[in-house]
Amino acid sequence: MAGLELLSDQGYRLDGRKSTELRKVQARMGVFAQADGSAYLEQGNTKALAVVYGPHEMRGSRSRALHDRAVINCQYSMATFSTAERKRRPHGDRKSTEMSLHLKQTFEAAVMTQLFPRSQIDIYVKILQSDGGNYSVCVNAATLAVIDAGIPMRDYVCACTVGFVDETPLADLCYAEESGGVSSLALALLPRGGQIALVQMDARLHQDHLGTLIEAAMTACKCVSKVLDEVVRQHLQETSVLSRE
Amino acid sequence: MLKSKTFVKKTRSGGVMKVVREHYLRDDIWCGSEVCTECKQDSAVLQRDACIESSLCPYPHYLVPDTNIVLRQIDVLEDPVIRNVIILQTVLQEVRHRSAPVYKRLKDIIHEQGRHFYTFTNEHHRETFIEREPGESANDRNDRAIRVAVKWYSQHLKTAESGSDGLKVVLLTNDQGNKLKAEENGLVVYKFDEYIKSLIGNPELVDCLALSNDDKNEVTSSKVLFPEHLPLSKVQAGIKSGSFLQGTFRASRDNYLEATVFVQGEGEDSTEVLIQGLQNLNRAVHQDVVAVQLLPKNQWVAPSSVVLQDDGAAKDDNVDEDEEEKVLTGPLTETARRATGKVVGIIKRNWRPFCGMLNVSQIKESTRHLFTPADRHIPRIRIETRQASTLAGQRIMVAIDGWPKDSRYPNGHFVRSLGGAGEKDTEEEVLLLEHDVPHQAFSQAVLSFLPKMPWSITPEDMAQRQDLRHLTVCSVDPPGCTDIDDALHYRELENGKLEVGVHIADVSHFIRPGNALDKEAANRGTTVYLCGKRIDMVPELLSSNLCSLRSNVERFAFSCIWELNHKAEILKTRFTKSVINSKASLTYAEAQMRIDDASKNDDITKSLRGLNKLAKILKRKRIENGALTLSSLEVRFHMDSETHDPIDLQTKELVETNSMVEEFMLLANISVAQKIYDEFPESALLRKHPAPPPSNYDILIKAAKSKNVMIHTDSAKALADSLDVAKVDGFQYFNTLLRILATRCMMQAVYFCSGMDSDFHHYGLASPIYTHFTSPIRRYADIIVHRLLAVAIGADSTYPDLMDKHKQSTLCNNLNYRHKMSQYAQRASVAFHTQLFFKTRGILNEEGFVLFVRKNAIIVLIPKFGLEGTVFFDSKDKASPNLVFDEEGPTLKVEQHTFHIFDQVKVTISLDDSNIQHQKIRMALTEPVIPGVSVPVPEAEPQAKKQKLDR
């Protein structure tokens, strides 16, 4: 029979959201004491843990150090239990390597690396449960972790995936939608200036639609940034109350 | 509120996967009722005074049907009486999974604004979502979900402030268990038939009710007539192991006790299994997909050549079956025996609503009647109706509901009446339905994609198109044509070369891929032309106005422009989207007159002459290459402008300008085919015409031989040449007859996708590649070709389906089917009008030629009317004359006279309306005179003779 109906005539998606609505975002900062910064973020059923070390001196080969800014080292991995079928290899496969690279590019655009020449910042992100939009959830979690580590950034980096169904952009795709043949686009945004840190898309889409899709993605990212900002403020409040005592 | 759904799913490869999905429950889904003040809906769909007059529910009420009601009783739901219905999302989704056609019909109803159907998204609503309980089946959960939603609605409407006017929600279900539970919950619930029967104003709806399986009040005779069908699992196992064969059931037209099952084998080898006898046919209906089991070889039989109609007046189930069985004894020579089998199971029913007429039962008060479909492949159907007396003599539609094993006939229900039999509108509708031509008015959803009127060309449009408004473009079409899709221009260039442009209506500009308008056009596939009527593929606004290249208005076109030299050789080809302004729309005859009239020397006439000159060269070249000129008689009716009845009939005449336009269209099609194939070798939509197998020509060669003419069929060129020289002295019509015969030997030309086939050759046109580009208003294939070409020249964007060869190929199949059906419908329409014509003419005596010779008849062609008819030499109630058939002639010896192909005969023509459902033209022989066979020439008293003829 016909596949899933991704967007009903009444404008509801499979999970009951409307086209522009995000999934529920919940986050916590400072989940680990050992690391310099850490955060846990859930976006619907996609859950990610991000840990940041640094900035610290170069480890491993010193030759990679840059004389005018810090090197950002990213590693993306998926827990073996994160998908419906147990994964064999948590990291190091092509997909994860690519994802690590994308994360690195995103954060090089956002973190003020020139403040820390010849040093290194490590960002490790692990997907604990995967339900679509892995990249954006990783970016959002890592942003919080970087903030937690106290590393200066130009702005929050917020990311969101959008898909295109029946001439309508759908914000924040879940796994069922991603696998349902939607051409999806992932976008990371520095919301205050409206600068795009990264756009990634590997499906076919007519260029006429690209504008609307990016527009929708930017709106979605701005919504994410509001939530993240809320989380940061909350966290600050909690910690400052604690330190006052 | 957030809920998580977890369920286990079986994957395609057989593994088991756990799926976790989020489910957001909302509190902003509105009830859609005008009464409600709580919900913040923009526009309420359901009316305040929702009144369907019913004796069961005298108060205003909304209806909530459950899934099975929608699936089975969609015919009733489609009736405009039924309004204010809440379709729950649960129901909509279940319907979507279970039946695509019903789903589409349901959605069409929902879109219709006057019907007040509201879709309530209950699965996402905070208060109506329910979780499946442990041990509960999916169906039970859905039933419960429906009940919960109904309960919510009734409470919701009660609490609504102004809801005191007794508005209620009525659940309709046929499921006994569901009904009981609903009653326990205090809901208003009725069985569907109870409710429909209670409608005061519309008793006739009752006839539309489909009989449900649990209705125990059917005709039950203790005698089981048919063996049980095997369950699907067993059938599939049997097919896998090879003990059963799967195939399409094709009932015989002439013998209701016989059928064949067409078994598609791997590759080329497909076989046919013969099935004889009611028991073996086992309730299969024409076009069903069935499983058959072969009988042991000693029970194999030969197909009987008897014509057997199931026309016992109103046979009941208890009639002796023996009498029906014994008639099947064909000649049992070993060679004639064929693989014979019996139907053991039905894999897929292919029932559709059937047109036909009611045989009113002899018992006056009876509500059960037999229905005889117009299509002779379909068995008669028993229906229940209270309006038999009004329906008698009308054409009606009936749908089959089921065929229990103890019933001689399938059970069905009345769908709707089409009108009185024999009336023109009714008969037209019947032939459209029977040929599966989609002819309903365009739905709102489709019309919403039309451009807004008043439409004008914007500067942006102009920027993307070439401005060709200054050119002297004109169109040449048949008289009365309103959908002009091609226009031409011609001019001499400064460098001494010639420029010719073919401008085709730019339909793809208006029909964007994937929208409802596009889908509808793709489904219709083609415009169907009947006599005096046209069934449009695209709405009239486009076909007759915005796309039609009428004169003196600015229109978008897709132009194909060549630079030619004086020998009509192509030097340059260019395609562009353009804006044109046609200077004149001419008919073929007008154009011809302008060309011939030496006193006229305006621009249009000059271009016409130029075009005509080039066309002649092109045609000569084409024929030298071996293109065939075939012939078929096409007739044209002169219609009475008031009654639209045919008053005269003549065969179409062709003038030079016909072929002038045709030549350039062929040239454009070939140029475009080449271009899109170069650009998209995998996904170009092309048209091919396969060469017929040599055996097809046997009849032609034999026929020609009888007149001492040799026909060579080794190649198209040889055939064309030998047809050109074939002449018999004193028999002018011979060549045309030969060409008519040759046409019958040809294969059908078909659309195909270049990535799926390797043979592109067009036999008839002798072109290595061909496509259809020039009539996008009336053919969908042309729209696809336009889109491909637009992408190829960078004028438009592509979309995934356009490049997918499998999708293209499915589309081609549909287009081929629609084209075939539209041709059949066209022929049937001509046949019907011919009958109308002869109805008023009484008996005519005309000259004709023998076109074919059969075992017991000759087929006669009457050139004057382009009419073909059969003269039978044997009839049921008369001793048949002595017939000797010789296959080698073929000749037929009747008594003393021998008939050959091409013999000239004289026949009388009259209308045989003894069977109102199948009126036909009857021909009888008057010359040569054969005693006992031929009839006297009707001259003196035609009235008396008519009675005798009609019997």
Side-chain angles (χ1 to χ4, degrees):
Chain A
M1 243 343 275
L4 293 167
E5 188 179 39
L6 294 174
L7 187 66
S8 75
D9 284 353
Q10 289 73 43
Y12 295 106
R13 292 155 65 175
L14 286 175
D15 51 9
R17 286 183 289 157
K18 292 203 165 175
S19 61
T20 52
E21 288 172 347
L22 303 179
R23 290 179 284 179
K24 185 172 186 171
V25 182
Q26 282 174 304
R28 249 173 68 203
M29 289 167 68
V31 282
F32 296 123
Q34 287 102 324
D36 293 319
S38 60
Y40 169 77
L41 187 128
E42 282 183 9
Q43 202 162 330
N45 274 337
T46 308
K47 298 168 188 176
L49 197 56
V51 180
V52 171
Y53 294 93
H56 52 72
E57 63 195 36
M58 291 297 297
R59 302 222 174 99
S61 70
R62 284 179 166 267
S63 57
R64 284 196 297 132
L66 300 170
H67 67 93
D68 59 343
R69 57 193 161 99
V71 169
I72 291 188
N73 173 36
C74 282
Q75 199 180 64
Y76 165 89
S77 61
M78 286 176 85
T80 49
F81 48 81
S82 64
T83 47
E85 248 171 283
R86 191 181 150 84
K87 269 183 97 73
R88 287 275 160 74
R89 229 173 128 177
H91 61 89
D93 56 343
R94 269 183 71 155
K95 248 186 174 169
S96 314
T97 322
E98 193 191 341
M99 195 71 104
S100 305
L101 192 71
H102 286 157
L103 285 174
K104 181 181 155 148
Q105 285 167 344
T106 314
F107 281 93
E108 273 173 351
V111 175
M112 303 179 80
T113 46
Q114 73 278 13
L115 296 177
F116 312 102
R118 290 174 219 288
S119 49
Q120 175 181 355
I121 299 170
D122 296 318
I123 303 176
Y124 299 103
V125 202
K126 195 169 190 85
I127 292 284
L128 299 178
Q129 188 178 341
S130 154
D131 186 28
N134 290 354
Y135 166 78
S136 29
V137 175
C138 286
V139 171
N140 296 337
T143 304
L144 291 182
V146 172
I147 292 171
D148 188 40
I151 300 171
M153 286 206 287
R154 292 186 175 84
D155 193 358
Y156 292 94
V157 216
C158 306
C160 196
T161 48
V162 280
F164 198 69
V165 170
D166 292 348
E167 312 278 304
T168 330
L170 303 185
D172 196 8
L173 303 179
C174 68
Y175 178 73
E177 289 168 332
E178 266 185 357
S179 55
V182 181
S183 37
S184 71
L185 171 141
L187 182 131
L189 186 78
L190 304 176
R192 252 178 296 178
Q195 292 137 314
I196 294 173
L198 184 124
V199 189
Q200 186 246 339
M201 166 151 174
D202 41 25
R204 284 174 81 124
L205 181 86
H206 191 259
Q207 69 180 48
D208 289 358
H209 301 313
L210 191 63
T212 50
L213 204 54
I214 289 190
E215 196 62 41
M218 284 169 71
T219 326
C221 287
K222 282 175 188 158
C223 296
V224 173
S225 93
K226 267 184 216 149
V227 181
L228 295 190
D229 193 56
E230 192 71 18
V231 171
V232 173
R233 282 175 202 280
Q234 183 98 31
H235 178 71
L236 275 179
Q237 211 153 29
E238 279 166 21
T239 43
S240 56
V241 167
L242 280 177
S243 52
R244 217 179 294 155
E245 282 169 5
Chain B
M1 200 157 91
L2 183 67
K3 275 264 163 87
S4 170
K5 267 200 293 199
T6 312
F7 55 93
V8 180
K9 200 168 99 177
K10 208 168 166 191
T11 59
R12 208 171 285 170
S13 53
V16 172
M17 218 166 69
K18 190 170 174 187
V19 178
V20 181
R21 272 200 208 138
E22 277 183 294
H23 198 112
Y24 290 85
L25 300 182
R26 319 181 61 104
D27 50 10
D28 61 347
I29 295 175
W30 316 127
C31 67
S33 166
E34 274 180 1
V35 177
C36 184
T37 47
E38 262 173 61
C39 294
K40 301 174 197 68
Q41 50 223 349
D42 301 333
S43 60
V45 177
L46 301 166
Q47 290 168 300
R48 179 180 294 274
D49 46 346
C51 253
I52 309 178
E53 275 187 42
S54 156
S55 56
L56 276 178
C57 322
Y59 38 79
H61 55 277
Y62 299 148
L63 298 173
V64 186
D66 78 353
T67 315
N68 282 322
I69 299 282
V70 174
L71 282 173
R72 298 196 49 107
Q73 309 286 6
I74 187 79
D75 286 334
V76 183
L77 292 179
E78 271 180 342
D79 194 283
V81 170
I82 308 289
R83 274 174 289 127
N84 292 301
V85 178
I86 300 164
I87 301 291
L88 299 176
Q89 186 198 10
T90 319
V91 174
L92 197 63
Q93 273 172 353
E94 262 194 291
V95 169
R96 185 168 180 271
H97 279 285
R98 302 252 297 266
S99 163
V102 174
Y103 179 68
K104 184 176 176 289
R105 286 164 78 180
L106 183 62
K107 277 190 95 166
D108 282 347
I109 308 178
I110 293 172
H111 281 300
E112 232 173 284
Q113 271 163 14
R115 298 296 301 278
H116 304 286
F117 272 55
Y118 179 70
T119 321
F120 181 63
T121 316
N122 64 323
E123 297 285 354
H124 295 315
H125 193 283
R126 185 183 199 139
E127 283 158 56
T128 54
F129 171 75
I130 53 159
E131 259 175 294
R132 189 163 153 188
E133 280 164 5
E136 193 176 34
S137 78
N139 274 333
D140 289 348
R141 189 215 85 99
N142 286 343
D143 285 346
R144 191 157 62 88
I146 293 169
R147 290 199 299 274
V148 168
V150 172
K151 178 122 191 148
W152 177 84
Y153 249 108
S154 33
Q155 270 159 6
H156 178 79
L157 292 178
K158 216 175 273 169
T159 52
E161 282 162 50
S162 57
S164 50
D165 48 357
L167 195 61
K168 281 190 184 168
V169 179
V170 177
L171 173 64
L172 296 176
T173 178
N174 276 350
D175 181 340
Q176 202 59 42
N178 194 5
K179 191 177 171 214
L180 279 179
K181 279 189 192 141
E183 274 163 357
E184 273 169 31
N185 290 346
L187 304 177
V188 189
V189 53
Y190 292 113
K191 282 187 128 185
F192 193 70
D193 41 345
E194 278 173 7
Y195 178 79
I196 293 297
K197 279 173 193 159
S198 78
L199 294 184
I200 297 162
N202 304 76
E204 74 279 1
L205 264 187
V206 175
D207 294 340
C208 294
L209 281 174
L211 301 172
S212 47
N213 287 335
D214 50 53
D215 273 358
K216 282 290 163 245
N217 55 353
E218 289 173 22
V219 193
T220 42
S221 64
S222 50
K223 197 169 147 197
V224 175
L225 291 169
F226 295 103
E228 192 89 59
H229 285 149
L230 293 179
L232 203 57
S233 55
K234 264 192 186 165
V235 167
Q236 273 161 348
I239 290 170
K240 237 178 196 170
S241 71
S243 52
F244 300 152
L245 294 170
Q246 176 180 341
T248 318
F249 185 87
R250 292 179 184 169
S252 155
R253 248 181 81 84
D254 301 324
N255 187 336
Y256 74 101
L257 291 175
E258 192 172 282
T260 52
V261 171
F262 182 80
V263 180
Q264 184 82 48
E266 278 157 37
E268 293 294 288
D269 56 277
S270 26
T271 48
E272 278 195 340
V273 179
L274 184 71
I275 312 227
Q276 271 190 350
L278 268 188
Q279 294 273 318
N280 290 344
L281 293 173
N282 200 359
R283 291 170 284 160
V285 178
H286 188 61
Q287 291 294 346
D288 286 349
V289 179
V290 297
V292 287
Q293 185 179 24
L294 287 182
L295 296 174
K297 263 205 167 145
N298 54 8
Q299 290 178 33
W300 285 15
V301 289
S304 71
S305 47
V306 193
V307 176
L308 209 57
Q309 303 254 324
D310 187 5
D311 47 12
K315 245 176 229 165
D316 270 323
D317 300 309
N318 46 4
V319 165
D320 269 341
E321 299 300 316
D322 317 337
E323 151 204 41
E324 299 185 31
E325 299 291 335
K326 69 186 175 199
V327 282
L328 284 167
T329 44
L332 273 182
T333 50
E334 279 306 310
T335 46
R337 288 190 184 207
R338 297 246 306 274
T340 309
K342 63 176 182 188
V343 175
V344 291
I346 307 277
I347 293 160
K348 188 171 169 285
R349 288 288 196 191
N350 250 334
W351 291 339
R352 58 186 171 92
F354 300 105
C355 300
M357 293 184 68
L358 202 65
N359 296 26
V360 180
S361 167
Q362 270 118 349
I363 310 157
K364 233 186 188 170
E365 285 74 32
S366 171
T367 57
R368 261 182 217 111
H369 305 276
L370 275 182
F371 161 85
T372 314
D375 187 346
R376 291 216 193 102
H377 296 109
I378 309 294
R380 299 202 288 172
I381 303 165
R382 179 185 295 110
I383 65 166
E384 212 170 308
T385 175
R386 259 154 275 249
Q387 19 173 358
S389 49
T390 45
L391 292 184
Q394 285 190 9
R395 294 271 191 176
I396 58 171
M397 275 180 89
V398 162
I400 304 185
D401 297 324
W403 196 340
K405 62 174 185 261
D406 50 13
S407 160
R408 169 74 176 72
Y409 297 109
N411 292 325
H413 66 268
F414 167 71
V415 178
R416 65 195 175 98
S417 163
L418 304 170
E423 279 167 32
K424 224 162 68 98
D425 293 342
T426 316
E427 296 300 327
E428 241 156 31
E429 171 115 17
V430 168
L431 72 92
L432 288 174
L433 286 167
E434 281 302 302
H435 292 95
D436 197 14
V437 175
H439 62 284
Q440 297 84 2
F442 288 97
S443 71
Q444 281 302 321
V446 170
L447 294 176
S448 70
F449 287 98
L450 289 177
K452 300 281 165 293
M453 292 302 281
W455 173 86
S456 63
I457 297 175
T458 62
E460 293 92 76
D461 290 329
M462 287 305 287
Q464 289 166 357
R465 291 168 180 272
Q466 201 179 349
D467 188 354
L468 299 179
R469 284 176 293 185
H470 57 280
L471 293 176
T472 314
V473 174
C474 66
S475 62
V476 185
D477 284 284
C481 175
T482 60
D483 49 349
I484 305 173
D485 36 26
D486 49 75
L488 295 160
H489 90 266
Y490 167 92
R491 65 173 174 178
E492 283 167 21
L493 296 176
E494 280 156 17
N495 58 7
K497 303 283 186 294
L498 306 173
E499 185 187 78
V500 172
V502 165
H503 310 275
I504 306 296
D506 191 4
V507 182
S508 63
H509 174 86
F510 296 99
I511 301 184
R512 303 309 300 164
N515 67 28
L517 178 57
D518 180 52
K519 283 182 186 150
E520 181 69 28
N523 179 38
R524 294 191 177 210
T526 173
T527 294
V528 181
Y529 294 87
L530 305 181
C531 302
K533 196 175 177 182
R534 188 177 81 200
I535 316 295
D536 278 324
M537 179 181 82
V538 296
E540 196 174 357
L541 176 66
L542 291 182
S543 67
S544 305
N545 187 357
L546 297 186
C547 290
S548 179
L549 304 177
R550 299 187 298 185
S551 54
N552 299 322
V553 280
E554 288 173 9
R555 288 285 176 253
F556 289 155
F558 207 148
S559 304
C560 173
I561 299 170
W562 300 282
E563 205 178 302
L564 306 165
N565 60 17
H566 287 271
K567 286 183 208 148
E569 283 158 353
I570 299 175
L571 305 173
K572 250 188 240 166
T573 311
R574 187 159 67 89
F575 305 101
T576 178
K577 291 227 171 183
S578 60
V579 180
I580 61 160
N581 189 342
S582 170
K583 301 290 179 286
S585 13
L586 308 171
T587 63
Y588 290 121
E590 279 169 13
Q592 189 65 47
M593 258 151 63
R594 276 176 183 251
I595 292 175
D596 296 341
D597 185 355
S599 65
K600 282 210 165 176
N601 265 319
D602 53 308
D603 279 353
I604 297 173
T605 314
K606 271 193 232 160
S607 355
L608 284 174
R609 287 193 191 125
L611 287 170
N612 199 25
K613 212 171 107 197
L614 285 175
K616 279 182 188 161
I617 308 176
L618 284 170
K619 182 163 190 184
R620 204 185 59 232
K621 276 204 265 185
R622 209 161 53 81
I623 289 177
E624 274 166 17
N625 280 337
L628 293 172
T629 330
L630 298 172
S631 174
S632 60
L633 290 176
E634 280 187 75
V635 288
R636 217 190 150 75
F637 291 96
H638 287 262
M639 298 288 200
D640 187 310
S641 55
E642 294 286 311
T643 58
H644 297 286
D645 283 334
I647 46 179
D648 198 6
L649 184 149
Q650 62 178 205
T651 48
K652 275 185 196 169
E653 263 178 60
L654 297 177
V655 287
E656 237 174 22
T657 41
N658 282 65
S659 99
M660 173 187 97
V661 173
E662 193 193 339
E663 273 325 305
F664 286 104
M665 295 306 133
L666 291 178
L667 195 63
N669 285 338
I670 294 169
S671 295
V672 171
Q674 195 58 51
K675 173 81 180 170
I676 58 172
Y677 177 62
D678 288 348
E679 202 78 16
F680 306 105
E682 280 292 287
S683 60
L685 191 152
L686 302 176
R687 187 166 174 86
K688 70 169 174 184
H689 183 211
S695 60
N696 274 20
Y697 286 121
D698 287 354
I699 181 93
L700 177 68
I701 295 173
K702 273 184 197 167
K705 224 183 206 166
S706 68
K707 294 280 177 208
N708 290 325
V709 173
M710 284 304 286
I711 297 286
H712 302 279
T713 57
D714 318 331
S715 68
K717 172 104 178 102
L719 178 64
D721 289 346
S722 48
L723 280 177
D724 283 342
V725 298
K727 283 199 179 69
V728 171
D729 289 337
F731 189 7
Q732 281 192 336
Y733 208 66
F734 177 68
N735 195 278
T736 316
L737 280 176
L738 262 191
R739 285 183 198 271
I740 290 174
L741 271 184
T743 314
R744 306 276 163 96
C745 304
M746 293 298 150
M747 308 279 284
Q748 271 284 338
V750 288
Y751 296 109
F752 68 103
C753 172
S754 59
M756 305 293 276
D757 210 323
S758 54
D759 173 29
F760 295 180
H761 194 74
H762 197 291
Y763 182 80
L765 297 172
S767 168
I769 191 164
Y770 192 68
T771 191
H772 270 164
F773 169 73
T774 53
S775 303
I777 299 181
R778 58 187 178 87
R779 289 189 305 234
Y780 190 75
D782 301 53
I783 296 185
I784 294 290
V785 170
H786 273 226
R787 287 181 186 156
L788 287 165
L789 185 65
V791 176
I793 61 166
D796 205 344
S797 54
T798 171
Y799 58 100
D801 285 4
L802 192 66
M803 297 297 138
D804 184 331
K805 63 177 178 181
H806 298 284
K807 292 227 169 96
Q808 283 280 33
S809 178
T810 341
L811 177 70
C812 287
N813 288 342
N814 180 47
L815 294 182
N816 289 331
Y817 170 73
R818 293 291 186 205
H819 275 267
K820 198 172 70 189
M821 283 332 228
S822 90
Q823 275 177 8
Y824 291 164
Q826 227 159 310
R827 274 182 226 160
S829 168
V830 170
F832 173 66
H833 279 84
T834 317
Q835 288 164 16
L836 276 188
F837 177 73
F838 283 109
K839 196 174 187 175
T840 52
R841 292 293 178 284
I843 301 171
L844 295 173
N845 192 23
E846 287 296 339
E847 246 172 47
F849 298 99
V850 176
L851 204 56
F852 295 104
V853 176
R854 296 267 186 264
K855 261 183 190 165
N856 59 351
I858 51 171
I859 292 164
V860 177
L861 175 84
I862 310 222
K864 187 173 169 193
F865 301 123
L867 175 75
E868 232 175 84
T870 315
V871 178
F872 287 101
F873 293 117
D874 53 353
S875 55
K876 270 184 207 164
D877 42 348
K878 222 164 60 172
S880 59
N882 187 15
L883 299 175
V884 182
F885 180 66
D886 178 14
E887 215 158 312
E888 277 312 305
T891 59
L892 180 71
K893 197 171 172 193
V894 183
E895 301 288 347
Q896 300 308 316
H897 188 87
T898 312
F899 287 98
H900 297 94
I901 292 189
F902 302 132
D903 277 356
Q904 196 163 1
V905 291
K906 272 193 179 164
V907 290
T908 60
I909 309 167
S910 62
L911 184 73
D912 175 8
D913 50 7
S914 55
N915 180 349
I916 191 148
Q917 184 136 230
H918 298 283
Q919 293 189 353
K920 56 188 172 215
I921 300 290
R922 175 187 287 269
M923 288 193 183
L925 199 66
T926 54
E927 218 186 274
V929 179
I930 306 170
V933 175
S934 59
V935 294
V937 182
E939 249 158 354
E941 326 152 82
Q943 284 309 316
K945 294 268 161 48
K946 192 177 174 189
Q947 274 169 4
K948 188 177 155 200
L949 268 170
D950 288 350
R951 250 191 307 275

